[in-house]
Amino acid sequence: MQQKLNALKAQLATLKKNQQTPAEPSTDNASTSDQANAGQTAETQKPKTTLTLGGAVTAGYKLKPDIKNHSKSGDALVGITAFNVHGSHGKLSYGAEYSWSPKAFADDSYLRYGWAAYDFDDHNQLKGGMFYVPFGNLKFGYQTFWGNLTYFAGFTDNQAAGLGYKYQNGPWRLDVDAFKNDDLGQHSLYGSKPFDGYQQINGGNVRVAYTFNQGTDHSVQVSSAVRGGELEVGGPSGKLGTRWAATAAVDAALGPWTLQGQYVDYRYNIPDGQSFNGNALPTDSITVENYGFGYQMPASGQIFAANIARTFPVDWGALDSIQLYDNYAYLMTGGNGQFNSALPGNPANPTGDIQFNAAGVNFSFGVLQVWADILSGKNAGMTFDGPNDGSWNTRYNLQMGLYFSGDVIKD
């Protein structure tokens, strides 16, 4: 009996050992469960793909009083129709937007941006195409629909064509960019650019930013940037000048409050004796455009800009928020720029220091946005609030836009 018990114990021990040490898997034929696991692993390693389509349709009413002549001129205009696409496939991402308007642009349409980017890892990205120049406060640097003085001067909400490297790690961000030109051969552009005898070419941009309390509703970003390059004057056969600009900016998101500030010091070095289309080009001012409509601005100066905005969440039917804002800027010209005002037929007026203020309210109905602006400027012909006569001039802008987007592919 004892021998039988010992033999039974030995058999039980062998069975336990076999249960604790699984057999080697067969290399000839995988089991059904092995094939399922392999399929799941391949699925998890498949690059994720996303695709979002969007666009906008806007319309507006502009009123420009002539206080001296006790008259006013207002007009309701069709705005912009835009279509955009954004997406990604694994580490590759891309975006593009094209806009049309028979009234708002000097040309019928333009490419606002179009780029592709590759993320090497969580910190390093390389981007190519026409994209936002990381200079000053990103992405826009103002709240008004009209734009602020730094926008009309070309130092915020601006795009150019080239290559850009971005490093981001926690609160730190570094951008290093090289741009071939700023228009891809287009006449009308969204951002403000020198044109009609001037073109920015072969330039670069470096920006460093740090965000305090990143990821909270009370964050503050400080940044500094420099940019520069060559300036083509008088067309491709003309002489080359140079250009440079430096900025320091702060962007504070403090709950419902937004506070922004930006300082810009800039200079366009324009060679003497150049002409374009039979017209002599001055050296103390430069022709700039946005939407294809040109204006003059001083060739050098310092800009001080400050924005304040307060958002009020509401629940009144379709209305979900109201934002009040004021965007003010002062451009010290140093006496540069004797040029005609924005209004035809006016004599050449020396431009003194330039001031521009945009105060208004934004009503947000989700996809529908409505802006009402009061635009006041002194010597601010470059903001289409002229003339440059040393007096304050005011115009009014009412704008509404329908902005939509939807996911076509979402992993």
Side-chain angles (χ1 to χ4, degrees):
M1 176 66 71
Q2 186 63 38
Q3 290 178 352
K4 290 182 179 181
L5 288 173
N6 290 339
L8 184 58
K9 288 180 181 180
Q11 290 176 0
L12 288 173
T14 301
L15 287 173
K16 288 182 180 180
K17 184 177 179 181
N18 290 337
Q19 289 176 349
Q20 294 171 357
T21 307
E24 288 285 330
S26 171
T27 58
D28 295 330
N29 295 298
S31 67
T32 303
S33 60
D34 290 337
Q35 291 174 351
N37 291 334
Q40 292 175 358
T41 302
E43 186 69 25
T44 57
Q45 292 177 349
K46 180 182 178 181
K48 291 185 177 181
T49 300
T50 64
L51 176 62
T52 301
L53 301 180
V57 178
T58 71
Y61 180 81
K62 301 176 179 64
L63 176 64
K64 189 169 184 178
D66 186 345
I67 298 175
K68 295 178 182 178
N69 297 320
H70 304 285
S71 64
K72 53 188 176 181
S73 174
D75 203 2
L77 297 173
V78 65
I80 299 167
T81 300
F83 175 77
N84 60 60
V85 57
H86 297 87
S88 65
H89 180 72
K91 295 184 176 183
L92 178 69
S93 58
Y94 55 89
E97 180 171 296
Y98 205 83
S99 300
W100 295 265
S101 176
K103 293 290 185 181
F105 313 148
D107 290 342
D108 288 338
S109 62
Y110 64 78
L111 176 71
R112 181 176 178 180
Y113 59 83
W115 54 266
Y118 185 82
D119 294 318
F120 294 93
D121 50 38
D122 292 339
H123 306 301
N124 298 276
Q125 182 190 77
L126 184 65
K127 178 183 289 187
M130 189 169 184
F131 54 90
Y132 282 90
V133 179
F135 189 87
N137 287 320
L138 306 180
K139 177 178 182 181
F140 301 115
Y142 55 87
Q143 288 75 47
T144 169
F145 184 90
W146 194 261
N148 65 349
L149 190 60
T150 54
Y151 164 75
F152 285 99
F155 299 118
T156 191
D157 196 9
N158 208 258
Q159 301 80 37
L163 292 173
Y165 166 76
K166 181 178 74 173
Y167 171 80
Q168 189 150 14
N169 191 355
W172 287 100
R173 173 171 169 174
L174 169 67
D175 291 272
V176 180
D177 310 279
F179 296 110
K180 179 57 183 175
N181 61 46
D182 53 16
D183 60 10
L184 289 179
Q186 302 179 107
H187 183 264
S188 292
L189 294 167
Y190 172 82
S192 302
K193 303 285 193 301
F195 91 142
D196 265 4
Y198 307 92
Q199 186 179 32
Q200 298 180 133
I201 60 173
N202 302 331
N205 178 85
V206 177
R207 179 179 183 267
V208 178
Y210 184 88
T211 303
F212 297 91
N213 298 325
Q214 187 180 44
T216 72
D217 59 358
H218 285 71
S219 64
V220 178
Q221 183 180 93
V222 293
S223 66
S224 179
V226 293
R227 57 191 267 193
E230 294 180 321
L231 180 69
E232 192 176 77
V233 181
S237 59
K239 291 184 179 179
L240 287 178
T242 59
R243 56 188 170 86
W244 61 263
T247 188
V250 59
D251 190 344
L254 307 175
W257 290 93
T258 298
L259 302 174
Q260 296 173 322
Q262 185 178 5
Y263 168 75
V264 182
D265 191 0
Y266 74 93
R267 176 177 290 275
Y268 294 97
N269 296 306
I270 302 171
D272 291 324
Q274 299 303 295
S275 63
F276 184 72
N277 289 339
N279 299 313
L281 298 178
T283 60
D284 57 359
S285 66
I286 187 169
T287 308
V288 180
E289 68 87 26
N290 61 68
Y291 290 19
F293 298 107
Y295 48 91
Q296 297 291 111
M297 64 175 277
S300 64
Q302 297 80 41
I303 303 175
F304 301 84
N307 306 328
I308 183 171
R310 174 65 158 86
T311 301
F312 299 89
V314 297
D315 188 13
W316 300 341
L319 181 64
D320 53 39
S321 71
I322 299 174
Q323 184 184 64
L324 301 176
Y325 54 82
D326 191 85
N327 299 168
Y328 171 79
Y330 190 105
L331 196 167
M332 295 177 59
T333 67
N336 280 315
Q338 290 192 356
F339 47 81
N340 290 333
S341 72
L343 300 180
N346 283 342
N349 296 313
T351 296
D353 290 349
I354 298 169
Q355 298 183 65
F356 181 67
N357 190 80
V361 57
N362 166 250
F363 300 94
S364 176
F365 299 87
V367 296
L368 177 65
Q369 302 290 315
V370 178
W371 291 265
D373 294 324
I374 302 174
L375 312 166
S376 301
K378 182 179 180 181
N379 294 325
M382 62 180 289
T383 66
F384 302 96
D385 200 358
N388 301 319
D389 57 1
S391 300
W392 282 90
N393 297 278
T394 300
R395 68 185 301 166
Y396 305 92
N397 176 57
L398 178 64
Q399 200 79 29
M400 64 179 180
L402 180 66
Y403 299 84
F404 57 89
S405 66
D407 294 322
V408 178
I409 301 174
K410 185 176 181 180
D411 282 353

